[in-house]
Amino acid sequence: MFMSDDALQIIKNSITSIPDYPLPGILFRDITSLLENAQAFHLTMSLLIERYKDQQIDKVVGTEARGFIFAAPLALAIGAGLVPVRKPSKLPRDTIQEGYSLEYGSDVLQIHSDAIQKDERILLVDDLLATGGTAGASIKLIQRLGGKVIESVFVIELPALKGAQKIHDLGVPHYSLVSFEGE
């Protein structure tokens, strides 16, 4: 597997931009077109696996819902457990929850209260970093359970929305494969 500007450009070019979705004024970055492109999806997963395969990660946490798409194969490939962070009333066991703001509203996320043990090494995975609300809430949930988030990883970052600062303020580094500036 190669990490080149060409690979990253293939990934970036496979992402469709949808204006005024889900609300007027939002430019939505649609990863379903990346998933439909076998080469782009393979490159995405290969780059993530290469980055994390030797980092002794105990669990990969994927955020609802598009984060699951990348978190599950990554966890399998690196030999880690998979933990879903979901919206309310989706998890059957005892949960803890955290509210957050996002680009176009607010919501709540939950995690099973026994999903992460003290000092486990956790990788947080989501498809997109915008305002950092979803990632920030997920990090807080993991930290409340005693997990150590070694990094948060995103396929896409929108730097203009300053989500990285929210993550860094929680003491967590982040990594993104591609970014779309100014949008």
Side-chain angles (χ1 to χ4, degrees):
M1 184 62 231
F2 60 98
M3 173 68 160
S4 73
D5 291 340
D6 290 341
L8 295 174
Q9 196 60 51
I10 289 167
I11 293 167
K12 189 170 186 174
N13 290 345
S14 74
I15 297 164
T16 303
S17 299
I18 311 292
D20 298 319
Y21 182 85
L23 298 170
I26 303 290
L27 184 57
F28 186 79
R29 304 302 179 165
D30 181 19
I31 58 113
T32 61
S33 52
L34 179 152
L35 300 171
E36 293 162 2
N37 180 325
Q39 181 188 26
F41 187 40
H42 176 77
L43 287 169
T44 299
M45 292 313 307
S46 295
L47 292 170
L48 295 176
I49 292 164
E50 184 63 28
R51 181 174 179 88
Y52 298 107
K53 68 181 182 181
D54 297 323
Q55 293 198 27
Q56 293 80 44
I57 294 165
D58 295 304
K59 295 193 178 140
V60 174
V61 171
T63 57
E64 186 164 328
R66 292 178 304 271
F68 299 163
I69 296 166
F70 301 99
L74 181 57
L76 182 64
I78 66 172
L82 175 67
V83 176
V85 170
R86 303 218 51 198
K87 294 187 177 162
S89 302
K90 303 280 186 178
L91 296 171
R93 299 191 315 267
D94 185 50
T95 62
I96 61 170
Q97 70 180 29
E98 185 75 34
Y100 67 102
S101 298
L102 58 154
E103 191 176 0
Y104 42 84
S106 63
D107 215 332
V108 173
L109 290 176
Q110 295 181 330
I111 191 171
H112 281 131
S113 59
D114 61 354
I116 294 170
Q117 306 308 307
K118 184 173 177 4
D119 296 326
E120 281 188 314
R121 292 173 53 81
I122 308 298
L123 175 65
L124 176 65
V125 179
D126 205 354
D127 68 319
L128 176 77
L129 174 58
T131 64
T134 303
S138 298
I139 290 166
K140 288 176 185 176
L141 289 169
I142 295 163
Q143 290 174 338
R144 282 171 51 197
L145 294 177
K148 296 184 183 295
V149 184
I150 59 134
E151 192 162 71
S152 55
V153 61
F154 308 90
V155 176
I156 304 166
E157 181 175 351
L158 307 177
L161 298 178
K162 303 187 185 325
Q165 187 60 52
K166 191 173 287 184
I167 293 167
H168 292 206
D169 289 348
L170 293 170
V172 175
H174 89 288
Y175 174 73
S176 301
L177 287 176
V178 299
S179 64
F180 289 89
E181 295 293 336
E183 304 173 47

